[in-house]
Amino acid sequence: QVQLVQSGAEVKKPGASVMVSCKASGYTFTDSYIHWVRQAPGQGLEWMGWINPNTEITNYAQKFQGRVTMTSDTSITTAYMELKRLRSDDTAVYYCATSWAVGPFDYWGQGALVTVSS
Amino acid sequence: DIQMTQSPSSLSASVGDRVTITCRASQSITTYVHWYQQKPGKAPSLLIYSASSLQSGVPSRFSGSGSGTDFTLTISSLHPEDFATYYCQQTYSIPRTFGQGTKVDIK
């Protein structure tokens, strides 16, 4: 069965960087895009971008351009999302999710809480 | 960016009620709309894809309809486990965007 297992909760200071990982299993890693979606406390879902692990081509939401980097390692079927220059309003649960091309996000990781606080 | 506007933002309903949630896109997205359910502390899960296709394992009381700019998620008879927040999403273009969510709680 498809599983996406994310790294654990993080607490960071403003200005720092955070990297969240997403370990995929149960499907061919290079067949699906990996998306990153975040959810601030009590708020809705916000798409951050995707990576195609087959080509390593990425597409980031304009809001995060210059601060986010998405990578993948096909040898260990793991995707990564690094967010730099953290601010307090980056406090959120960060999810990874899979899709093919223009399809829905059919599998989701369990989420990783990132807290940004001085 | 394509804006997805859900209504209502919240609703109160009873077990057995028929519930309808609407989602309007700011431009035509044909049928590239999907619906998710999210329970507190959990990741979203896919209910309906491509406007009207039921995801495997999802109960048949859930259904979706619409095309172009107007879409509907219907729960034909609300079960206790259906109290949750529901989101629509478009994958017609980048950036992928979600509606603001509809919280369904117990009347």
Side-chain angles (χ1 to χ4, degrees), chain B residues 3-17:
Chain B
Q3 308 303 317
M4 303 294 285
T5 304
Q6 283 182 239
S7 61
S9 296
S10 65
L11 65 91
S12 296
S14 301
V15 172
D17 283 353

Side-chain angles (χ1 to χ4, degrees), chain A:
Chain A
Q1 74 283 18
V2 174
Q3 277 196 304
L4 300 175
V5 178
Q6 297 184 232
S7 48
E10 303 259 15
V11 179
K12 296 292 183 180
K13 294 195 181 302
S17 298
V18 69
M19 180 173 280
V20 180
S21 66
C22 174
K23 166 72 175 172
S25 61
Y27 73 100
T28 302
F29 185 60
T30 49
D31 281 354
S32 294
Y33 291 17
I34 295 277
H35 299 260
W36 291 89
V37 176
R38 76 177 187 180
Q39 186 170 39
Q43 302 302 307
L45 301 168
E46 181 176 33
W47 181 78
M48 300 178 69
W50 56 248
I51 181 167
N52 179 341
N54 188 43
T55 62
E56 297 205 49
I57 292 173
T58 56
N59 199 319
Y60 304 142
Q62 189 168 8
K63 175 177 180 177
F64 300 102
Q65 292 271 3
R67 278 209 307 145
V68 72
T69 303
M70 296 176 189
T71 57
S72 64
D73 185 337
T74 56
S75 68
I76 56 172
T77 65
T78 299
Y80 303 90
M81 186 282 300
E82 181 182 28
L83 190 61
K84 308 179 188 70
R85 300 190 295 280
L86 290 168
R87 308 184 292 253
S88 57
D89 62 357
D90 291 318
T91 294
V93 176
Y94 289 77
Y95 294 102
C96 59
T98 60
S99 84
W100 57 272
V102 294
F105 296 3
D106 43 8
Y107 296 98
W108 294 68
Q110 82 276 19
L113 174 63
V114 175
T115 303
V116 184
S117 173
S118 56

Side-chain angles (χ1 to χ4, degrees), chain B:
Chain B
D1 297 3
I2 296 175
Q3 308 303 317
M4 303 294 285
T5 304
Q6 283 182 239
S7 61
S9 296
S10 65
L11 65 91
S12 296
S14 301
V15 172
D17 283 353
R18 181 182 182 88
V19 168
T20 298
I21 299 167
T22 64
C23 181
R24 174 163 288 177
S26 58
Q27 65 182 75
S28 177
I29 55 173
T30 64
T31 57
Y32 288 100
V33 71
H34 320 292
W35 291 93
Y36 302 86
Q37 177 192 69
Q38 186 180 33
K39 297 182 179 179
K42 300 294 186 183
S45 63
L46 179 64
L47 293 175
I48 300 285
Y49 63 94
S50 302
S52 60
S53 296
L54 194 66
Q55 175 70 348
S56 176
V58 173
S60 59
R61 63 182 179 272
F62 291 92
S63 63
S65 64
S67 66
T69 60
D70 293 312
F71 303 90
T72 300
L73 173 70
T74 300
I75 310 171
S76 59
S77 177
L78 206 59
H79 285 210
E81 60 268 31
D82 300 337
F83 292 97
T85 301
Y86 295 85
Y87 294 93
C88 61
Q89 178 209 29
Q90 64 82 21
T91 57
Y92 182 82
S93 68
I94 296 290
R96 305 297 194 233
T97 46
F98 293 88
Q100 80 278 17
T102 296
K103 184 176 181 180
V104 177
D105 62 20
I106 301 172
K107 184 185 288 184

